[in-house]
Amino acid sequence: MEYDYNEDLIKMISDNILKVRESIDEATAKSGREKGSVTLIGVTKVFPVEYAEAAAMSGLKDLGENRVQELVPKVERFSALDIDVNWHLIGTLQKNKVKYIIGKTSLIHSVNSIELAEEISKRSVSNNVTTSILLQANVSGEESKHGFAPHELKPAIDKIMALPSISIRGLMTMAPIETYEGQAREVFAKTRVIFEDLKSYTGLEGWDVLSMGMSQDYKSAICEGSTHIRIGTAIFGDRSQYKPL
């Protein structure tokens, strides 16, 4: 299968990626971290597959989707084009859709229950693969957000670590829409403390991913230790013109 290049789209996205990367470098330097210590994930939620292709052609090697029904066809399209990227499932994952993505993701960011982890484990065993996951932590305490409350994480980890064919890599969190300046950073700082505590608790060498920060707050997230930031609008533009599948 051949790829029909859209040079204007590639240039727009490439320029945006460059701007975001420059901003990432500024934030890492400001916080005393090493350049290259933050992984940029381009979130193509609701955007046509051509946007994801353009990002890949611009050198972005990590792409994220919120919904299984959008991730799967994009993964298949990239496979047909022989484009190699790391796919991240960052949105809420329902148990009945786990079977569609096993073996297709580099990392599932949004494991928010033991039951979901058990389903991922079962499907991974059946497909003879090991699936890397993050536990979603609801540090802000908002009822509208999914995830484990901080006090629920250690008991959950004890159970999930015993499951076969699952590799727990760390935590993901989402900050609230700020009602006062610095609110997001407070949540990120709390999550970093929890992350470090759990790293000692688990003793896992592979506990190395702290996924937090989006277009509106990624600089604060980087200053508080985020290793993976999930950026959509700042790279791909306004998604309101597109409808989800």
Side-chain angles (χ1 to χ4, degrees):
M1 184 180 293
E2 295 184 357
Y3 174 64
D4 184 16
Y5 292 91
N6 183 329
E7 297 292 350
D8 290 338
L9 182 63
I10 292 174
K11 185 180 187 310
M12 183 270 287
I13 290 176
S14 180
D15 288 347
N16 289 344
I17 290 173
L18 179 60
K19 291 175 185 176
V20 172
R21 289 199 185 281
E22 289 175 346
S23 181
I24 290 170
D25 289 344
E26 290 175 5
T28 52
K30 182 179 179 181
S31 57
R33 299 175 60 188
E34 292 184 8
K35 183 176 181 178
S37 59
V38 177
T39 297
L40 172 61
I41 302 170
V43 180
T44 53
K45 171 185 175 183
V46 310
F47 286 104
V49 68
E50 289 79 14
Y51 281 71
E53 293 167 359
M57 296 297 172
S58 302
L60 191 59
K61 296 302 182 184
D62 291 85
L63 295 173
E65 276 296 336
N66 286 63
R67 295 154 62 91
V68 171
Q69 55 266 48
E70 290 190 70
L71 183 143
V72 171
K74 286 177 181 175
V75 170
E76 293 174 348
R77 166 79 171 170
F78 270 53
S79 179
L81 291 170
D82 198 25
I83 302 174
D84 185 26
V85 298
N86 301 314
W87 285 101
H88 301 253
L89 193 284
I90 64 174
T92 301
L93 176 58
Q94 297 173 333
K95 284 174 56 179
N96 63 356
K97 293 184 178 178
V98 169
K99 60 187 175 184
Y100 299 115
I101 64 166
I102 292 301
K104 294 181 170 67
T105 60
S106 172
L107 189 61
I108 298 174
H109 291 232
S110 49
V111 175
N112 55 28
S113 72
I114 294 170
E115 292 75 19
L116 177 58
E118 289 172 339
E119 181 68 14
I120 293 171
S121 172
K122 182 180 76 172
R123 296 291 180 177
S124 298
V125 169
S126 297
N127 286 274
N128 195 32
V129 297
T130 296
T131 301
S132 294
I133 68 168
L134 304 179
L135 302 186
Q136 183 172 353
N138 186 355
V139 176
S140 67
E142 294 176 278
E143 292 184 3
S144 61
K145 287 186 169 58
H146 299 282
F148 297 96
H151 71 275
E152 296 174 328
L153 283 164
K154 286 182 179 178
I157 286 171
D158 290 339
K159 293 182 179 180
I160 296 172
M161 283 180 64
L163 298 173
S165 298
I166 274 188
S167 174
I168 309 178
R169 297 286 306 280
L171 301 178
M172 182 272 270
T173 200
M174 296 175 64
I177 297 174
E178 290 193 331
T179 57
Y180 58 87
E181 186 176 355
Q183 185 178 10
R185 184 161 181 171
E186 289 177 4
V187 170
F188 295 146
K190 291 177 182 178
T191 306
R192 172 63 183 272
V193 171
I194 295 168
F195 174 82
E196 294 294 347
D197 177 55
L198 291 174
K199 183 175 184 178
S200 298
Y201 179 77
T202 63
L204 294 172
E205 291 185 6
W207 184 273
D208 57 2
V209 178
L210 182 54
S211 172
M212 54 187 193
M214 299 188 290
S215 290
Q216 70 273 18
D217 54 26
Y218 70 89
K219 295 178 186 178
S220 294
I222 290 171
C223 289
E224 295 301 336
S226 176
T227 66
H228 289 60
I229 58 173
R230 312 178 301 270
I231 307 298
T233 303
I235 293 175
F236 301 105
D238 180 14
R239 57 168 53 93
S240 62
Q241 62 183 306
Y242 299 108
K243 295 181 180 180
L245 295 175

